[in-house]
Amino acid sequence: MSFTEHDAAGVAILMWAADPSQPERLATPLFLAAAAAAMDVPVEIYFTAASVHLLVPAVAARLRASPRVDKAIADNLREAVEMGARLFACSDALQAQGLDAAMLMPGCGRGGAVQFMARAIDLRWRTLVF
């Protein structure tokens, strides 16, 4: 099977426990998103709870997954988006975290529990939770 031959309609990734307080947990889900998108698989990343802070460019720019890596989490996000991943911020999480949608990186859509659950119950989609 080649990388582009698959039965999945897409991959939905939920960023929940992966938030700015533990930057070492942030690179892996974004690497996986970029890899799936590079394989021509539609990718949607849903940010909820404190993870919505990652969509604020200044926050993601100052975070590193490791002190030995010079690459910022903002770079990982940018690469995933350049490969085709779509980003969604939970409106309720934005409100709970005191963030305004205007603060988020360009192109970030709104999507929360209903949209993610629609993907999770669709047997053609794969879901990952971080």
Side-chain angles (χ1 to χ4, degrees), residues 17-41:
D19 66 52
S21 70
Q22 295 180 311
E24 67 277 6
R25 293 184 175 187
L26 301 176
T28 298
L30 300 174
F31 287 151
L32 294 174
M39 296 167 59
D40 294 323
V41 176

Side-chain angles (χ1 to χ4, degrees), residues 12-65:
I13 298 173
L14 179 65
M15 298 288 278
W16 171 66
D19 66 52
S21 70
Q22 295 180 311
E24 67 277 6
R25 293 184 175 187
L26 301 176
T28 298
L30 300 174
F31 287 151
L32 294 174
M39 296 167 59
D40 294 323
V41 176
V43 176
E44 298 175 350
I45 309 173
Y46 294 85
F47 294 79
T48 189
S51 76
V52 293
H53 288 278
L54 299 172
L55 297 170
V56 177
V59 172
R62 73 172 184 261
L63 296 172
R64 305 281 185 281

